[in-house]
Amino acid sequence: MSKEAGFSGVIAPVLTPFGDDGSPDAERFVAHCEWLMEEGCTGLAPFGTTSEGNSLGLDERMELLEELVDSDIDPAVLMPGTGACALADAIVLARHAVDLGCGGVLALPPFYYKAPSEEGLFRFFAEMIEGVGDDKLKVYLYHIPPVAQVGFSLPLIGRLIKAFPDTVVGLKDSSGDWSNTAAILDAYPKLEVFPGSEIFLLDGLRKGGAGCISATCNVSAAAIRNVYDNWKGPDADKLQADITALRKAIQAFPMIPALKALIAHYRQDPGWARLRPPFTELPAAEAEKAIRTLADAHGFKLDFAKAA
Amino acid sequence: MSKEAGFSGVIAPVLTPFGDDGSPDAERFVAHCEWLMEEGCTGLAPFGTTSEGNSLGLDERMELLEELVDSDIDPAVLMPGTGACALADAIVLARHAVDLGCGGVLALPPFYYKAPSEEGLFRFFAEMIEGVGDDKLKVYLYHIPPVAQVGFSLPLIGRLIKAFPDTVVGLKDSSGDWSNTAAILDAYPKLEVFPGSEIFLLDGLRKGGAGCISATCNVSAAAIRNVYDNWKGPDADKLQADITALRKAIQAFPMIPALKALIAHYRQDPGWARLRPPFTELPAAEAEKAIRTLADAHGFKLDFAKAA
């Protein structure tokens, strides 16, 4: 199946499973991606923050992406994270994604040096886009100041869109600040804007947003997709309230370890809980608490009956 | 010439020059390294923060290091920065440095994810050291919280020394906080501790410190070396006051662009001033002001007469 250009809907920043030896586990990874698409994701963003993407080596990211493209998933629905502190690395990753037919790339700003100038960030992206040198490159700016510390100001977004109108086509806003998302939507109505949490999904859609790219899509894509599909309907606010409540319950735990613990539990596959340093697994008692709390208060469970 | 194990004295985090096309310029780089050793540096730390090290790709770092090792400089005096957010990348860089005979590596913590646990950071370094798997690996912990945001607590340093006493042998403290350096020196007297600024050189030496690893060694190594060589002498405080004053005058400008502008000026080589995004060159008027201010107030100039 093929899709139109651009992204919309429910996109999962895919968790990365690791094997016994700590290396990425391609088999578990592809199986999870296929399950996510069955659950209702419209796109996948491997190698985002939730994916421990910046804890993966360049070669590891490229090999996993090749495995995914070799599966039944259309590369057009893939928006891999290609951010790197070094321009040279960012170009290698973005070109690789374009060559594999990925529909877009999710691009962090260089995040080692703090408080860079707008001009310096503009040049980084200009040189990255020119370095890839391919009209098929579609860049989604990845704004996540709580983690990267370096972000995209409104003027910088505007400069990049103006200079590269056919390439800089979208943005993920993981600021957690709805007023920032709203300001971007007001200023750049043609940009495909994705809040970084489904808490802002309905508000975003009502203001012209494209959907959401959210960590919790790894475990609750079906419910989030239901809001996306029915956002103009009479139950939209009720459906949104439900996914907001679930998201808040999940994010009361350390997000990435908790998501992996939930999948490990419901897949009956303890190895799924592994993380790469600097992350550590949720202690068993905390994992138990997360599973029980979510099940009791939200009827939460995962069904892998259909999965390979 | 060969040197004893360990580092001491005056170590420059070497600036990285770039060519017209933005790629690292190995010829200028090696010439600068050779000049720094003639000026009195006892060691070189390429690919540190001042080196725009995290703006270089993995391959770029390794190729530059190979060029340097092919020069007349003893690899035992080299302490390349091998930090990376991804364990896999950190292992590749550290193993490469060991294989080339480098005397040590300057190792950042993984810096993308913020507020990692002590256990998570310990595991990162444990897995890095075990991944390299070579007794010749000597790790210098790179503590620079103003930039990396993630740093080394006293307990973490202690755990790493205890677990890897023959490998974790030193630390660069770029916190800018003398009380932190003093606390590390008190707690771990055998550790080779280098303040990240020559402002703390004499205080450090008097408390058992090993020297300094400082950005401004790129332009004032001779004067800093003079303090190191005479720290027990009657003029030590006067000599320290002079290098402190010069350092403060230089750091009144944006450090990395200013250092490159000074070298470009005194080498009569405008290309030396190039930086990689997200950095931008010092505007011409600012560069003029830096050159004039330093010359007028501190008699500052650089002499490349001896240089190749």
Side-chain angles (χ1 to χ4, degrees):
Chain A
M1 101 185 173
S2 190
K3 77 181 239 309
E4 286 180 32
F7 283 81
S8 61
V10 178
I11 300 176
V14 185
L15 289 164
T16 307
F18 296 104
D20 292 340
D21 65 349
S23 60
D25 183 330
E27 197 174 327
R28 282 187 177 105
F29 175 70
V30 171
H32 182 56
C33 288
E34 289 173 340
W35 178 76
L36 287 172
M37 295 301 290
E38 289 166 11
E39 285 290 292
C41 283
T42 55
L44 301 174
F47 323 132
T49 299
T50 305
S51 318
E52 301 171 76
N54 290 100
S55 298
L56 300 175
L58 290 194
D59 289 343
E60 292 175 330
R61 291 204 240 181
M62 291 192 282
E63 284 164 22
L64 278 182
L65 191 60
E66 287 164 21
E67 294 279 352
L68 193 51
V69 167
D70 281 343
S71 76
D72 289 338
I73 295 172
D74 180 3
V77 307
L78 302 178
M79 186 199 290
T82 57
C85 294
L87 184 56
D89 291 342
I91 291 172
V92 165
L93 291 173
R95 181 179 290 143
H96 179 256
V98 169
D99 287 347
L100 290 178
C102 294
V105 300
L106 189 57
L108 280 170
F111 53 83
Y112 181 66
Y113 296 102
K114 301 307 185 287
S117 66
E118 181 188 308
E119 175 64 21
L121 289 175
F122 177 81
R123 284 191 202 175
F124 183 92
F125 283 94
E127 293 187 25
M128 192 269 277
I129 291 165
E130 286 156 8
V132 174
D134 192 320
D135 290 346
K136 294 193 294 294
L137 175 66
K138 302 298 169 191
V139 172
Y140 292 76
L141 306 173
Y142 188 7
H143 181 63
I144 181 165
V147 183
Q149 306 282 322
V150 176
F152 296 88
S153 66
L154 273 181
L156 174 59
I157 298 166
R159 272 186 77 183
L160 287 167
I161 293 173
K162 191 172 174 191
F164 304 102
D166 298 324
T167 303
V168 176
V169 297
L171 180 142
K172 176 182 179 189
D173 184 4
S174 295
S175 65
D177 172 5
W178 166 249
S179 70
N180 186 62
T181 311
I184 294 169
L185 285 165
D186 281 337
Y188 310 113
K190 286 185 192 167
L191 200 65
E192 297 167 27
V193 176
F194 295 86
S197 164
E198 69 270 30
I199 289 175
F200 306 115
L201 176 58
L202 187 58
D203 285 339
L205 291 169
R206 286 175 174 163
K207 221 177 149 57
C212 70
I213 306 175
S214 168
T216 34
C217 295
N218 279 282
V219 297
S220 54
I224 300 171
R225 174 66 181 267
N226 198 27
V227 175
Y228 181 73
D229 285 343
N230 295 289
W231 74 271
K232 290 180 178 170
D235 296 332
D237 287 293
K238 168 73 180 67
L239 295 171
Q240 175 66 53
D242 288 347
I243 64 171
T244 293
L246 179 60
R247 164 82 187 201
K248 287 183 176 174
I250 296 173
Q251 72 187 19
F253 298 90
M255 178 65 88
I256 305 174
L259 294 173
K260 284 190 153 181
L262 289 169
I263 292 176
H265 174 77
Y266 288 107
R267 273 195 184 271
Q268 301 182 15
D269 176 4
W272 237 106
R274 284 187 205 105
L275 295 116
R276 226 174 213 188
F279 285 107
T280 54
E281 288 185 30
L282 217 55
E286 273 289 284
E288 282 289 326
K289 186 179 163 197
I291 293 158
R292 205 179 51 243
T293 305
L294 296 174
D296 291 352
H298 302 275
F300 178 87
K301 67 181 169 72
L302 296 177
D303 180 7
F304 292 101
K306 284 182 298 182
Chain B
M1 96 183 179
S2 191
K3 77 182 240 306
E4 287 177 33
F7 283 82
S8 61
V10 178
I11 299 176
V14 185
L15 290 163
T16 307
F18 296 103
D20 293 341
D21 64 350
S23 60
D25 184 331
E27 197 175 326
R28 281 188 177 105
F29 175 70
V30 171
H32 182 56
C33 288
E34 289 174 339
W35 178 77
L36 287 171
M37 295 302 289
E38 289 165 9
E39 286 290 292
C41 283
T42 56
L44 301 175
F47 324 133
T49 300
T50 305
S51 318
E52 300 169 75
N54 290 98
S55 299
L56 301 174
L58 289 194
D59 289 343
E60 291 176 331
R61 291 204 239 181
M62 292 194 279
E63 284 164 20
L64 277 182
L65 191 60
E66 287 165 21
E67 295 278 352
L68 193 51
V69 167
D70 282 344
S71 76
D72 290 337
I73 295 172
D74 180 3
V77 306
L78 301 179
M79 187 198 292
T82 56
C85 294
L87 183 58
D89 291 343
I91 291 173
V92 165
L93 291 172
R95 182 178 289 145
H96 179 256
V98 169
D99 287 346
L100 291 177
C102 294
V105 301
L106 188 57
L108 282 170
F111 53 83
Y112 181 66
Y113 296 100
K114 302 306 184 288
S117 66
E118 181 189 306
E119 175 64 23
L121 290 175
F122 177 81
R123 284 190 201 175
F124 182 92
F125 282 95
E127 294 187 24
M128 193 268 280
I129 290 166
E130 287 157 8
V132 174
D134 192 319
D135 289 346
K136 295 194 295 297
L137 175 65
K138 302 298 169 192
V139 172
Y140 292 76
L141 306 173
Y142 189 5
H143 181 62
I144 182 167
V147 182
Q149 307 283 323
V150 177
F152 297 89
S153 66
L154 274 180
L156 174 60
I157 298 167
R159 273 186 77 182
L160 287 167
I161 294 173
K162 190 171 176 194
F164 305 101
D166 299 323
T167 303
V168 176
V169 297
L171 179 140
K172 176 182 180 189
D173 184 4
S174 295
S175 66
D177 172 5
W178 167 248
S179 69
N180 186 61
T181 311
I184 295 169
L185 285 164
D186 283 336
Y188 310 111
K190 287 187 192 164
L191 200 65
E192 299 167 26
V193 176
F194 295 85
S197 164
E198 68 271 30
I199 289 176
F200 307 114
L201 175 58
L202 189 56
D203 286 339
L205 292 169
R206 287 175 173 162
K207 221 177 150 58
C212 70
I213 305 175
S214 167
T216 34
C217 295
N218 278 283
V219 297
S220 55
I224 299 171
R225 173 66 179 268
N226 198 28
V227 175
Y228 180 73
D229 285 344
N230 296 288
W231 74 271
K232 290 180 176 171
D235 297 333
D237 287 293
K238 168 71 181 69
L239 295 171
Q240 175 65 55
D242 288 347
I243 64 171
T244 294
L246 179 60
R247 165 81 188 204
K248 288 184 174 172
I250 295 172
Q251 72 188 20
F253 298 91
M255 179 63 89
I256 306 174
L259 294 173
K260 286 192 151 179
L262 290 169
I263 292 176
H265 174 77
Y266 287 107
R267 276 197 184 268
Q268 302 182 13
D269 177 3
W272 239 106
R274 283 186 206 106
L275 296 117
R276 226 175 214 192
F279 285 108
T280 55
E281 288 185 30
L282 219 53
E286 273 289 284
E288 282 289 325
K289 187 181 162 196
I291 293 158
R292 204 177 55 242
T293 305
L294 298 173
D296 290 352
H298 302 274
F300 178 88
K301 68 181 169 73
L302 296 177
D303 181 6
F304 292 100
K306 286 182 296 185

